[in-house]
Amino acid sequence: MRSGFVALAGRPNAGKSTLINALVKEKVAIVSPKAQTTRSEIRGIYTDSDCQIVFTDTPGIHKAKDRLGARMNRESADVIQGVDLIYLVVDGSAPFSSGDAYVLNMVKQAGVPVFLILNKVDMMSKEQILQILGQWQQRYDFAQYFPLSAKFSSSFEDLIKTTASYLPEGGLLYDAKEVTDEPENFRIAEIIREKVLECTEKEVPHASAVIVESKKFTKKGCEIQAMILVEREGQKGIMIGKGGSMLKKIGSMARVDLEKLLGVHVYLTLFVRVESEWRSKDARISEYGYGGAFRDE
């Protein structure tokens, strides 16, 4: 048997979270078209009779504008240095940029094999795929090349088998039934935050954080109270909406996914609170579970 760790690295919106969910066949990472959706290392665990692969979804590497962004970038760099293999996930439908060059240089220095995952090929012609693969081959001698669609591909068997062949021999790193090691409350908070991302625009989703204040299982289901934090009073008004309409919409959407996660009926109550400039405060970033808060120091 082979087992080991694989980091998914890339720019924001390259499709890393979508891919990790597809690989482990369960939603362990939230997904949104908005940049910086992933704020912390998320692990997805794939296990079969021949291997156990611990996939690590890292925050998209970007030009940081605040302390949260800097910590997210640092966490991505740290994760890349501690794995057996790296997937460099790139959006094949987007032109090569300075951001791609920065991430490529980072993975080059990791000292482990790197697979190029050319994602979103469903948006490209065969000629474009071959052309872009050729361009990437000139930039670095990748160990393997996989053009795919994380969103629409039905099978990743070849990718899994090839990945396993690059990992060291060893036993299980996690229980075979586990698909992630993320704390349950963090997964609940992330599901709610995903709906915030879907429902709000401009600066509001990026200024938002979610924490679970209480969770109680009863005979009827699970009662959850969660707090959505924003940085300004104006953002609070938008989050609540006229007559509480936005908050009700977010709660209704989140409840569907929470019931899938927990397997019981969920009674969800949401509140909104202003926490001024929390993205610039290390203590708050850690408290909310972002930017490497769960990593061993």
Side-chain angles (χ1 to χ4, degrees), residues 74-92:
R74 185 186 69 184
E75 182 179 21
S76 294
D78 289 346
V79 170
I80 289 171
Q81 295 298 323
V83 296
D84 301 293
L85 175 68
I86 296 171
Y87 289 175
L88 176 58
V89 183
V90 300
D91 179 353

Side-chain angles (χ1 to χ4, degrees), residues 59-84:
I61 299 167
H62 62 288
K63 186 175 181 180
K65 297 180 179 179
D66 48 41
R67 183 59 180 157
L68 173 62
R71 284 185 51 167
M72 287 161 56
N73 282 343
R74 185 186 69 184
E75 182 179 21
S76 294
D78 289 346
V79 170
I80 289 171
Q81 295 298 323
V83 296
D84 301 293

Side-chain angles (χ1 to χ4, degrees), residues 28 138 140 228 270:
V28 297
Q138 294 176 10
Y140 185 62
I228 301 174
L270 298 177

Side-chain angles (χ1 to χ4, degrees), residues 86-219:
I86 296 171
Y87 289 175
L88 176 58
V89 183
V90 300
D91 179 353
S93 66
F96 185 80
S97 69
S98 59
D100 290 300
Y102 182 82
V103 179
L104 176 59
N105 186 60
M106 182 181 292
V107 302
K108 282 181 179 179
Q109 299 176 36
V112 298
V114 182
F115 288 9
L116 178 73
I117 308 297
L118 186 66
N119 192 25
K120 304 187 183 181
V121 297
D122 53 288
M123 302 170 66
M124 306 157 59
S125 67
K126 290 184 178 180
E127 291 75 16
Q128 287 175 316
I129 294 171
L130 291 173
Q131 180 183 17
I132 294 173
L133 283 174
Q135 292 170 350
W136 278 98
Q137 286 174 333
Q138 294 176 10
R139 296 177 183 124
Y140 185 62
D141 184 20
F142 293 93
Q144 298 286 340
Y145 298 83
F146 284 90
L148 54 78
S149 171
K151 187 175 183 179
F152 295 109
S153 293
S154 58
S155 174
F156 299 91
E157 183 178 354
D158 189 32
L159 177 58
I160 291 289
K161 286 185 176 180
T162 306
T163 298
S165 70
Y166 279 77
L167 301 181
E169 293 186 358
L172 295 176
L173 301 166
Y174 290 88
D175 186 282
K177 295 181 180 179
E178 287 193 65
V179 293
T180 187
D181 62 355
E182 299 303 316
E184 186 173 78
N185 278 11
F186 181 75
R187 295 186 71 184
I188 291 170
E190 284 289 270
I191 287 172
I192 298 169
R193 189 168 69 85
E194 180 184 57
K195 308 315 172 187
V196 170
L197 288 164
E198 291 181 16
C199 295
T200 59
E201 299 295 336
K202 297 182 179 180
E203 182 62 18
V204 177
H206 301 296
S208 302
V210 179
I211 53 175
V212 175
E213 298 209 309
S214 68
K215 179 183 63 180
K216 180 181 179 182
F217 287 93
T218 68
K219 292 181 179 179

Side-chain angles (χ1 to χ4, degrees), residues 18-58:
T18 301
L19 179 58
I20 198 171
N21 290 339
L23 289 167
V24 303
K25 299 179 181 179
E26 185 171 321
K27 188 172 183 175
V28 297
I30 65 172
V31 177
S32 164
K34 293 184 174 68
Q36 301 172 40
T37 296
T38 301
R39 287 175 170 171
S40 186
E41 171 189 357
I42 304 294
R43 288 178 176 174
I45 305 164
Y46 172 91
T47 307
D48 63 21
S49 58
D50 299 317
C51 68
Q52 183 174 80
I53 308 172
V54 183
F55 296 104
T56 302
D57 183 18
T58 61

